[in-house]
Amino acid sequence: MRKIILTVAALLMSRAICAQDDYVDGSYWTVTGVDTFPGQFNAYLTDLNGAWRKSMEMLIADEKVLSYKLLNNVNPREGEPDLWLMVEWSSGAAYMDTPRDYWDANARKLFGSMDNGAQANKARGEMREIKSNILLRELRFN
C-alpha cells in the first residue's frame, strides 16, 4: 500500500512539474465591463479621460499598477458591454491588500474631498452601468 501511495504521489508531482514548465504566472488584471447609456458614450469617455486616467497614473507612480487599457466593443451583442476597462496590477496584493486609507487619500487628491468624489461617482452612474468586474491572472507560455 505504501508503494502505491508513493508511486501516485511521484506521478502527481512529476505532472505538476511538467505543467509548470509549460507556462508561468503573469500579472493580475481587473477587467470591468461597462455599458454606456444611450447618448452618453462621449460624455463617459470624457469623464474617464479625467478622474479615471489620473487615478491610473497615480497608481502607476505608486507602483501598484503596471498599465491600463480602454477597449471599445465595436459590435456588442445583446447584453454585452460596449467598453472594457483593463488594469494590469503589479501584484495581487497591490489590488487586494492596499489599505482603505490609501484609496481615501487618492480620492481626496483627485476630487478635493470624499463628498466631491461621491458626487462624481453619482454623476458617472447616470452615464453608464457596470456590467461586470473580474480579476484575472495572466498566463504566459514558456
Side-chain angles (χ1 to χ4, degrees), residues 34-36 38 73-82 84 129 131:
V34 180
D35 195 28
T36 55
N73 188 354
V74 177
N75 295 307
R77 294 171 288 195
E78 183 68 33
E80 287 184 340
D82 51 6
W84 297 98
E129 176 184 5
K131 300 295 265 185

Side-chain angles (χ1 to χ4, degrees), residues 58 99-112 114:
M58 290 167 60
R100 173 81 179 184
D101 51 335
Y102 171 86
W103 301 112
D104 291 348
N106 276 6
R108 284 188 205 88
K109 287 178 195 173
L110 287 169
F111 301 108
M114 297 299 287

Side-chain angles (χ1 to χ4, degrees), residues 36-100:
T36 55
F37 296 140
Q40 295 297 315
F41 186 82
N42 289 336
Y44 186 60
L45 285 182
T46 298
D47 183 74
L48 287 175
N49 193 33
W52 185 72
R53 184 176 179 188
K54 288 177 188 172
S55 70
M56 292 297 107
E57 296 301 327
M58 290 167 60
L59 290 166
I60 287 172
D62 290 344
E63 299 181 350
K64 293 190 176 294
V65 164
L66 300 174
S67 69
Y68 61 96
K69 298 176 185 294
L70 173 63
L71 302 176
N72 178 221
N73 188 354
V74 177
N75 295 307
R77 294 171 288 195
E78 183 68 33
E80 287 184 340
D82 51 6
L83 289 171
W84 297 98
L85 309 178
M86 299 174 58
V87 179
E88 181 183 18
W89 295 86
S90 59
S91 69
Y95 173 69
M96 295 180 276
D97 295 335
T98 299
R100 173 81 179 184

